[in-house]
Amino acid sequence: MTENRFSEKIDAAEVTPLEPVKFPGRVVIVECAEDAERACEDLLSHSYIGFDTETRPTFKPGAMNKVALLQLSTPQTCYLFRLCRMALERPIQKVLESKTTIKIGADIPNDIKALQQLRHFRPDGFVDLQSIAGQWGIGEKSVRKMSAIILGRRVSKAQRLSNWEAASLTGSQCAYAATDAWVCLRMYEELQNTEKNPLPEPAPAPPKEPKEPKPGRRRPFRRFAKRKEQQSDPADKG
């Protein structure tokens, strides 16, 4: 077990000069059901895999496109499922529901919510780095900064806003997408080999002082109006 030397925070200026991290394995693009079945057989043979998604950006306020790409990575191979060109097939659903093949990612709830717009499934076996990093004394949440702290490497975000629904993906897009999924798996492996050093529990909020009761309001005008109503109008007599 390695001694924990992780810092809690890191400035963006400290991240920029770091050497970029890049997935060292094989990248496989999946666009049909037959290829998906073969890919998922490999994925289900592993205990831990990396997980991420990509969506074509939109610059209209409140607008959101559907997930275009699902990345699932073993240590050796990253599969890029082009969900903009194929359905979320049953074999893929089986991986996302597997309790024995653990999917490691970041900001997983939002990714799952987006995937469920394509097809309903019951997610299981997910570990969110944003939720567990604090056990090692890490207060950052972004993949870029967590990678800088845990691996000492920088994750490039140059392709994040590219068109993930393009007719074909560029080499830069493939490398970026594969790295984003695999690096989550790589960080998890590093955390598991490092001593924990949990962040201190936040100090409890001081108890609120009880509010003083407001003084009762007098309503002279209502009482005056009531007395006035009780008096008869002379014009009504006779």
Side-chain angles (χ1 to χ4, degrees), residues 184-237:
C184 290
L185 175 61
R186 180 68 190 88
M187 285 191 284
Y188 181 77
E189 292 171 342
E190 191 66 26
L191 290 176
Q192 297 306 305
N193 291 323
T194 306
E195 294 178 348
K196 290 186 177 183
N197 182 25
L199 290 172
E201 292 290 335
K208 294 182 179 180
E209 296 183 2
K211 295 182 180 180
E212 295 183 2
K214 295 181 180 180
R217 293 183 179 179
R218 295 181 178 181
R219 301 181 178 180
F221 296 105
R222 179 174 293 181
R223 288 197 296 269
F224 176 76
K226 188 175 181 180
R227 288 198 302 269
K228 188 173 182 180
E229 290 173 0
Q230 290 174 348
Q231 295 176 359
S232 58
D233 189 334
D236 293 337
K237 291 182 180 180

Side-chain angles (χ1 to χ4, degrees), residues 151-181:
L151 305 177
R153 299 289 186 90
R154 169 176 55 86
V155 175
S156 172
K157 290 295 179 182
Q159 297 295 320
R160 183 171 64 90
L161 297 179
S162 61
N163 181 12
W164 296 103
E165 296 181 9
S168 60
L169 297 177
T170 66
S172 296
Q173 283 180 309
C174 291
Y176 168 90
T179 298
D180 255 17

